[in-house]
Every structure is written in structure tokens, then in C-alpha cells.
Amino acid sequence: MNIIIIYVHNTNGDNMLIKEIVKRNMVTCNINDGIYTLSRIMEEFDVGFVPIISEDNIVGVVTDRDIVIRGIAKDINDIELIMSKNPIEIDCNASVESALNLFYQYKIKRLLVDRKSVV
């Protein structure tokens, strides 16, 4: 999986594909790590969205907002209790427009890109 990090303005009007704007290096965190470790990873790599791994599978995602609202505010340090499960993903050959539709449909700001589809 990869993370879409930016929307590139395409001046020639072509339909852009996700693979043209995807970030290929993904920062992850283990489900058994605590919120402190997760927040240090976010700070070190300057990201606000981290996929959570268990046995080499992505089992959820955590945002910086999740840490504050679901974790710190409720005194919870367990990543599994604050992560969003079943994250939405998209194929890298899909259009940016398809990604925008998913953002709207699921009321999300970030997507995982299926790593098997990334060239």
C-alpha cells in the first residue's frame, strides 16, 4: 500500500492516474506499539496518516487527529482501540477523479493505494 499525499494540478486537462501522484515510500507502525511510538514516527517522518501493520498485513490506519481525539482525550494508549479499521484503498491505475469520488463518498481525506498495483 502507498499513500496519496498530494493532488497535482494538471494544466493540459488530461485525466491523471493515481500512479502519477502516489508516494511510494510508506511509513507504518506495528499494532502492538503505543500511541507515543506512533506519534514519534509521525513527527520523525512528518506525516499525519500511518497504516497499522499486524503480521505484515495492513489492519487499519491512524491519523494525528485520531491520536488526539480517540487516544489522548480518552486516556487510551492502545493503537488498536483508536485506529480506523478496514481502510479504503484504490488501484494505482484508477483516475484521480475516482479517488476524489472516494474521498467524498466515505468522507475521508487520505487513501491507501493497493501496493500490488503500483508499478
Side-chain angles (χ1 to χ4, degrees):
M1 303 275 171
N2 291 286
I3 305 168
I4 294 176
I5 56 167
I6 58 170
Y7 175 74
V8 178
H9 180 65
N10 185 353
T11 57
N12 64 10
D14 294 341
N15 289 328
M16 292 186 72
L17 301 179
I18 297 300
K19 66 184 173 186
E20 297 176 68
I21 62 170
V22 71
K23 179 178 179 182
R24 290 183 172 15
N25 297 320
M26 182 174 60
V27 177
T28 62
C29 189
N30 189 289
I31 197 165
N32 297 318
D33 292 332
I35 291 175
Y36 178 78
T37 300
L38 176 56
S39 62
R40 296 286 302 189
I41 289 169
M42 288 180 168
E43 189 273 331
E44 180 180 345
F45 293 96
D46 193 28
V47 295
F49 176 86
V50 176
I52 306 303
I53 304 294
S54 177
E55 299 178 14
D56 291 329
N57 294 312
I58 294 177
V59 295
V61 294
V62 174
T63 67
D64 43 8
R65 186 175 194 280
D66 293 334
I67 291 174
V68 174
I69 303 301
R70 297 180 184 172
I72 295 170
K74 296 180 181 175
D75 199 26
I76 297 173
N77 189 42
D78 187 338
I79 289 177
E80 190 168 8
L81 296 176
I82 69 161
M83 73 181 184
S84 296
K85 297 176 175 107
N86 304 313
I88 307 301
E89 63 180 67
I90 193 167
D91 186 278
C92 75
N93 292 307
S95 68
V96 170
E97 182 178 2
S98 296
L100 294 172
N101 288 334
L102 288 173
F103 291 147
Y104 177 76
Q105 177 183 352
Y106 292 100
K107 297 179 180 27
I108 56 177
K109 298 177 185 172
R110 298 164 177 125
L111 284 170
L112 293 173
V113 177
D114 182 358
R115 70 176 147 196
K116 296 175 197 103
S117 68
V118 176
V119 180

